[in-house]
Amino acid sequence: MGEKRVLKMCTLAFVLLGLASLQEAMSHGVHPLSKIATHKTTYAFDDRAYIKVSPTVLGEKGETTVWVTVDFSTPNPSSDDWIAVFSPANFSAVTCPQDNLDVQPPLLCTAPLKYKYANYTNPNYTKTGKGSVKFQLIKQRSDISFVLFTGGISHPKLVAVSNKVAFVNPNAPVYPRLAQGKVWNEMTVTWTSGYGIDEAEPFVEWGPKGGAQVRSPAGTLTFDRNTMCDAPARTVGWRDPGYIHTSFLKELWPSKEYTYKLGHRLLNGTYIWSQVYWFRASPYPGQNSLQHVIIFGDLGKGEADGSFEYEDFQPASLNTTKQLIEDLNNIDIVFHIGDIVYAMGYIAQWDQFTAQIEPIASTKPYMIGSGNHERDWPGTGSFYQNMDSGGECGVLAENMFYVPAENRANFWYSTDYGMFRFCVAHTELDWREGTEQYKFIENCLASVDRQRQPWLIFLAHRVLGYSSVDFYVEEGSFEEPMGREDLEKLWQKYKVDIALYGHVHNYERSCPVYENICTSQEKHNYIGPLNGTIHVIAGGAGASLHEFSPVNTMWSIYKDYDHGFVELTAFNHSHLLFEYKKSSDGKVYDSFTISRDYRDILTCTVDSCPHITLAQ
């Protein structure tokens, strides 16, 4: 017994050491905004310097995203001068929380929304001292100002402050996000506004396209600085999130088109409206119709105006978003499986992300999963004790988007879409056998009616299956440590067709595999039982790419060191098409089909049916 106990303790120590090493390997470095030494900011005002913004009134035609021009000049130009965007426009010490009355708060205690260097598009700036840059702004519930700094971001010196600019009615409802409800014929609409429940009544006016409209009330949530777990979310990264509203549109007819608009009834009886949007209701579970599903992870927020050029986290984010918008008519539902924004404690970036995906999420259900950059923080119950969330510890993801989870803090859930059943796991909480999440996963897989919903898909952020990325291979695991050890028997028992993951920023597809052995030698046209599960890495939607190991395995069929996303197309109960598309051009670079009948799902294979005994 003593030797066994020592062996178990050594094994556990090895696993924990591996986890720690992986966290270091997976580090994305320091967020660009956190490089700004806000606490060191000093005054360097110069009456000869100026910074001016135009136009001053934004969104006069109802736009929620606009471009502004920033002109600036200083008599002492330097290559490390930079332009920052602040909202609210008043960023002086009076807005800083003064925890210690004996200590004067710093001049600058909040990070800007974004920044650029003054010479970004002005190569002669250091000679002339004059420049002009363009910024893209979104409606974000407050006025905006621009600041010219010198001294770089490590020793910021405030030289000049611009005039204030503001959107028309900055509190208006914006950026609707659709999501499946807890039942198939329910759609949820979540949006953001500046109106609390003591100021206005939120609702959605909706109905069949061209038909009578009804109004459904919305619930309202918000959170404050103290809800954040730590810095920077609780300090320099904090920005008031406004109010998040969710309405439930119920008893929808399958596949029917509906229109909707967001509304707020003010206390004086005035109505504030959004534009009109539309969506198509989900098909009935088992409905035999053409169904398109998009899946990816690690998209992140992109900056169309070139901000954050110092360190680019998501070089392909805008390309992926653009491809999905262009092909929107051929998309039915989207799954973004973790690492949503990469805000990492800079709260305002969640608004910017919802603005970026609005053309998609306002029309198609946008289902998210939770990743390390949403949830992980030491001492908060996350499985990984790292600081990847920047102090958000799941609060932003749980509030900004709706998911049909029984407990949104857990973030695991199942959802049905026509002929598909999706089981969405939460890899930042323990998934191993005996845990609450393990029980959920088995119930999700076991409860599906494969006659009606033959396509069973498992989704998770971290790679619980198979991957050839260099940092997994260096650990000798080819997976998240302890990833598939308990789950693989469930995938095999319940005959999961495809398991997809993010976290690793590249694309890779395995053969149908069970316990490291390919259960089929076919690579593109699968006919009949798979006898294993196909594992796919789809974490290359936006974030900087991860290298593959030079080690080749028998189970890895296709690898691509590039950005892209996955599309599943169910033609009927017997035919499924899988496609991997690159974000750069939207073309298909890898694909396979599955063709089978219901009897093929019933067929027993290794560890997929109860063991037969003589008594039976």
Side-chain angles (χ1 to χ4, degrees):
M1 285 295 290
E3 291 180 359
K4 288 184 179 180
R5 186 176 181 183
V6 170
L7 181 60
K8 283 185 76 173
M9 291 180 67
C10 290
T11 302
L12 178 59
F14 175 78
V15 169
L16 293 175
L17 180 63
L19 287 173
S21 301
L22 277 179
Q23 297 318 306
E24 185 175 350
M26 285 298 299
S27 173
H28 293 280
V30 181
H31 194 286
L33 290 178
S34 69
K35 290 176 178 285
I36 301 173
T38 56
H39 61 288
K40 294 183 179 180
T41 302
T42 58
Y43 283 119
F45 275 129
D46 191 318
D47 291 338
R48 296 168 295 172
Y50 68 81
I51 179 168
K52 300 176 181 178
V53 188
S54 61
T56 58
V57 180
L58 312 177
E60 292 186 282
K61 296 181 180 179
E63 308 98 318
T64 57
T65 301
V66 300
W67 287 84
V68 298
T69 300
V70 181
D71 298 309
F72 51 92
S73 175
T74 178
N76 301 300
S78 169
S79 61
D80 61 4
D81 293 353
W82 51 290
I83 310 295
V85 185
F86 286 91
S87 179
N90 177 17
F91 55 89
S92 66
V94 296
T95 66
C96 301
Q98 191 168 358
D99 296 327
N100 187 341
L101 296 178
D102 296 326
V103 178
Q104 184 69 18
L107 168 66
L108 184 63
C109 59
T110 182
L113 299 183
K114 51 186 175 180
Y115 68 91
K116 291 186 194 181
Y117 283 100
N119 60 8
Y120 179 66
T121 54
N122 304 281
N124 296 320
Y125 170 72
T126 54
K127 297 178 181 179
T128 66
K130 297 180 182 294
S132 180
V133 293
K134 290 186 179 294
F135 279 93
Q136 187 181 63
L137 303 178
I138 67 166
K139 183 177 285 192
Q140 214 166 350
R141 302 174 304 284
S142 192
D143 54 6
I144 304 160
S145 64
F146 294 75
V147 179
L148 172 61
F149 287 97
T150 191
I153 57 176
S154 58
H155 293 88
K157 299 175 184 178
L158 195 155
V159 177
V161 180
S162 77
N163 53 301
K164 296 179 182 180
V165 301
F167 278 86
V168 174
N169 191 5
N171 290 326
V174 288
Y175 319 131
R177 289 88 77 183
L178 298 177
Q180 300 252 93
K182 291 184 178 179
V183 291
W184 70 270
N185 60 350
E186 178 180 75
M187 189 71 74
T188 68
V189 186
T190 299
W191 73 95
T192 308
S193 85
Y195 295 116
I197 55 175
D198 57 345
E199 301 171 281
E201 298 172 349
F203 62 90
V204 174
E205 185 170 283
W206 64 285
K209 187 175 182 179
Q213 305 289 291
V214 297
R215 291 181 181 176
S216 293
T220 298
L221 297 172
T222 190
F223 49 91
D224 60 27
R225 186 192 299 264
N226 293 329
T227 312
M228 302 294 100
C229 287
D230 214 321
R234 198 166 181 158
T235 55
V236 295
W238 171 256
R239 186 180 190 271
D240 191 308
Y243 298 92
I244 300 102
H245 316 278
T246 299
S247 184
F248 296 81
L249 315 186
K250 301 183 177 184
E251 298 183 357
L252 305 176
W253 286 92
S255 302
K256 190 178 185 69
E257 285 190 15
Y258 290 84
T259 58
Y260 72 97
K261 59 181 178 179
L262 316 173
H264 290 262
R265 183 180 182 275
L266 304 184
L267 297 183
N268 63 8
T270 303
Y271 286 87
I272 306 296
W273 297 102
S274 73
Q275 69 180 71
V276 177
Y277 301 91
W278 74 276
F279 68 89
R280 187 183 302 277
S282 301
Y284 182 78
Q287 180 175 311
N288 196 345
S289 60
L290 190 63
Q291 294 157 16
H292 298 278
V293 181
I294 298 295
I295 303 172
F296 55 81
D298 305 70
L299 178 63
K301 175 191 65 66
E303 285 290 348
D305 60 13
S307 298
F308 299 164
E309 77 288 341
Y310 186 81
E311 186 174 337
D312 194 353
F313 276 122
Q314 301 93 25
S317 173
L318 295 179
N319 283 343
T320 300
T321 304
K322 176 176 176 287
Q323 293 297 341
L324 297 181
I325 293 172
E326 289 180 352
D327 199 33
L328 205 54
N329 290 334
N330 297 313
I331 296 173
D332 293 315
I333 187 171
V334 175
F335 287 88
H336 183 166
I337 49 177
D339 284 5
I340 309 300
V341 182
Y342 288 96
M344 294 157 64
Y346 292 88
I347 309 303
Q349 296 196 33
W350 283 84
D351 284 324
Q352 294 162 20
F353 179 78
T354 57
Q356 175 179 321
I357 64 165
E358 182 197 34
I360 306 166
S362 63
T363 302
K364 310 297 178 181
Y366 197 95
M367 313 300 295
I368 69 166
S370 179
N372 50 304
H373 286 290
E374 285 75 58
R375 179 62 181 85
D376 290 358
W377 194 259
T380 64
S382 55
F383 191 62
Y384 300 88
Q385 296 295 300
N386 60 52
M387 307 171 95
D388 288 353
S389 75
E392 293 177 14
C393 53
V395 174
L396 271 295
E398 293 163 22
N399 284 276
M400 294 294 288
F401 287 83
Y402 176 85
V403 293
E406 291 302 318
N407 181 339
R408 287 169 73 172
N410 288 340
F411 230 102
W412 57 69
Y413 64 92
S414 66
T415 191
D416 295 324
Y417 192 90
M419 294 175 283
F420 290 96
R421 160 67 62 88
F422 297 95
C423 298
V424 184
H426 187 191
T427 56
E428 309 318 298
L429 299 179
D430 198 347
W431 62 84
R432 294 171 297 176
E433 188 168 10
T435 63
E436 185 181 357
Q437 181 167 197
Y438 183 90
K439 294 174 184 176
F440 154 76
I441 293 171
E442 179 160 27
N443 181 67
C444 182
L445 300 177
S447 61
V448 62
D449 181 348
R450 299 298 290 275
Q451 185 177 0
R452 294 196 306 163
Q453 295 172 286
W455 311 115
L456 182 55
I457 312 298
F458 178 82
L459 302 177
H461 178 63
R462 293 178 187 259
V463 182
L464 304 182
Y466 295 80
S467 168
S468 300
V469 73
D470 53 5
F471 50 83
Y472 282 154
V473 175
E474 288 169 8
E475 292 296 322
S477 61
F478 293 89
E479 58 161 347
E480 196 69 34
M482 301 179 286
R484 62 177 178 266
E485 277 68 12
D486 288 343
L487 294 179
E488 192 160 31
K489 59 187 176 185
L490 295 184
W491 301 327
Q492 186 73 358
K493 178 179 179 180
Y494 298 108
K495 301 172 185 175
V496 172
D497 295 307
I498 308 172
L500 297 103
Y501 315 96
H503 197 60
V504 171
H505 306 161
N506 55 38
Y507 170 78
E508 185 174 15
R509 171 169 67 94
S510 79
C511 60
V513 59
Y514 179 55
E515 295 184 344
N516 291 293
I517 298 174
C518 290
T519 57
S520 171
Q521 298 307 309
E522 177 57 49
K523 295 184 177 181
H524 295 286
N525 299 295
Y526 299 102
I527 300 175
L530 292 176
N531 298 326
T533 298
I534 297 171
H535 294 263
V536 175
I537 310 303
S544 301
L545 294 169
H546 288 146
E547 296 280 355
F548 288 102
S549 166
V551 175
N552 291 316
T553 64
M554 295 295 292
W555 44 259
S556 184
I557 289 181
Y558 190 99
K559 302 173 186 175
D560 189 35
Y561 180 76
D562 205 348
H563 298 284
F565 54 93
V566 163
E567 179 172 357
L568 303 180
T569 303
F571 295 99
N572 50 43
H573 290 75
S574 299
H575 297 90
L576 178 75
L577 171 65
F578 173 103
E579 295 173 304
Y580 162 66
K581 299 181 178 182
K582 290 198 180 189
S583 301
S584 57
D585 57 15
K587 294 181 180 179
V588 176
Y589 286 80
D590 182 35
S591 66
F592 65 83
T593 60
I594 301 175
S595 301
R596 67 171 181 228
D597 296 321
Y598 176 54
R599 64 183 179 185
D600 296 321
I601 300 175
L602 298 178
T603 301
C604 290
T605 185
V606 177
D607 292 343
S608 70
C609 288
H611 296 291
I612 297 174
T613 68
L614 290 176
Q616 292 172 303

